[in-house]
Amino acid sequence: MTLKIAVLAGDGIGPEISVQGVDVLTAIAEKFGHEVTYKSALCGATAIDAVGDPFPEATLRICQEADAVLFSAVGDPKFDNNPSAKVRPEQGLLAMRKQLGLFANVRPVQTFDCLIHKSPLKDELVRGADFICIRELTGGMYFGEKHEGDDMAYDTNKYTRAEVERILKVGYEYALRRRKHLTVVDKANVLASSRLWRKVAQEMAPLYPDVQTDFMYVDNASMRMIQEPRFFDVMVTENTFGDILTDEGSCISGSMGLLPSASTGTGTPVFEPIHGSWPQAKGLNIANPLAQILSVAMLLEYFDLKEEGALVREAVDASLEANVRTPEIQVEGGAKYGTCEVGQWIVDYIRKK
Ligand code: IPM
Ligand code: MN
């Protein structure tokens, strides 16, 4: 297979983990005889500094011409504490999602047996937890009408029936391929937008008789995720709720640095870690590259390269088993490996296999 990859490394730890993702993809391509080419493009604060736009036209074009985007992270502290900044790095990520029509963000929450002790939750609760959060990614408050005044500000949480239907369909399709249990997470006791979600889901449920559909308010869902994470198989929810719940989900796995995601829709799909740019760690070679590397596995699986994806996952598992881990997940007293060392260990494993 030939694959053209747009590489958007972004800010903070982005460039460091991006290199590891690219190296892993290249090792897989060499092993399996695929031809992968890369084109890098600017985004986030780096792009603001260079050309004044967090998602420049040239970057959009490179993404549109690619088969997939390998994205890392955006964000910079110089914008975080300046609410009056006119452009922000995060707008670049949102522009990319919108302009590529990436309405479905798939965020798997998995546990790794050898990292169970890293979860702040009790071992017996977390062991075996395995669910997918399908987050709607181009609607809701992130994109609704906004007003930002000194004395009043608002964001509008708007959803159309078509937007709700297409994301629920993605949820049902995942549920059918898994344990056939879909939980629609909303706040229908308060929000009109959520009542539309619930109405549409109730209409669609009979079309998927093999799937058990249930509904849960988001406050309750956030509690249930901690009390009984194994309850969930596929959850589907709006943009803002999905953003919040998936950070919570990363605690089940034990580290933010472990969770990959895929954003798909009408344009080029994007594969990215769920974590941010962790500016404090920039250049220190301590960031965990596994979320980025697992995003490569998701990329391969998207193109139906199952064996290739499986080998990436096997290599990641092997690195964890061998205690080749970045500091935040290292066992007590164990050697601490850097971003580079973990990535290259995985590359070597793939090459030797
Ligand atoms: C995420 C991030 C982004 C979001 C930020 C960086 C805009 O938190 O991908 O979850 O809120 O969607
Ligand atoms: Mn987030």
Side-chain angles (χ1 to χ4, degrees), residues 84-115:
S84 52
K86 287 277 173 290
V87 280
R88 319 184 65 81
E90 290 78 5
Q91 287 165 349
L93 180 56
L94 302 188
M96 176 181 76
R97 290 171 178 170
K98 194 69 173 180
Q99 290 174 30
L100 296 177
L102 305 172
F103 62 85
N105 183 216
V106 177
R107 298 187 161 187
V109 175
Q110 289 157 304
T111 54
F112 297 85
D113 279 350
C114 63
L115 290 180

Side-chain angles (χ1 to χ4, degrees), residues 101-262:
L102 305 172
F103 62 85
N105 183 216
V106 177
R107 298 187 161 187
V109 175
Q110 289 157 304
T111 54
F112 297 85
D113 279 350
C114 63
L115 290 180
I116 296 278
H117 65 287
K118 282 288 167 189
S119 171
L121 303 180
K122 286 198 192 94
D123 184 325
E124 68 266 26
L125 286 183
V126 169
R127 196 171 289 278
D130 168 19
F131 66 91
I132 292 189
C133 178
I134 313 267
R135 169 188 177 193
E136 201 290 327
L137 203 58
T138 51
M141 263 196 283
Y142 276 61
F143 294 96
E145 188 199 323
K146 292 175 191 295
H147 170 77
E148 202 159 349
D150 278 340
D151 300 312
M152 200 261 285
Y154 59 76
D155 304 276
T156 317
N157 200 27
K158 183 176 137 196
Y159 271 106
T160 64
R161 170 179 284 270
E163 285 174 314
V164 177
E165 268 171 7
R166 68 180 179 179
I167 192 72
L168 288 172
K169 190 159 174 275
V170 175
Y172 275 112
E173 279 160 7
Y174 270 89
L176 279 172
R177 292 200 298 271
R178 292 174 49 98
R179 301 192 303 274
K180 301 188 173 49
H181 177 198
L182 183 73
T183 305
V184 181
V185 175
D186 64 27
K187 186 72 187 169
N189 50 346
V190 177
L191 301 177
S193 50
S194 281
R195 284 192 286 274
L196 177 65
W197 274 71
R198 200 169 272 221
K199 191 154 77 190
V200 174
Q202 281 167 345
E203 287 169 16
M204 284 172 73
L207 304 175
Y208 298 90
D210 294 340
V211 177
Q212 181 199 329
T213 306
D214 46 37
F215 298 92
M216 206 180 276
Y217 296 139
V218 61
D219 44 356
N220 186 228
S222 73
M223 183 175 74
R224 197 75 182 262
M225 271 173 63
I226 296 297
Q227 278 183 333
E228 196 193 351
R230 279 192 299 261
F231 171 83
F232 297 101
D233 175 21
V234 179
M235 72 164 65
V236 59
T237 191
E238 63 154 85
N239 203 344
T240 308
F241 297 162
D243 177 47
I244 299 166
L245 292 178
T246 50
D247 267 34
E248 186 185 347
S250 75
C251 292
I252 297 170
S253 302
S255 167
M256 274 287 262
L258 294 170
L259 296 192
S261 81

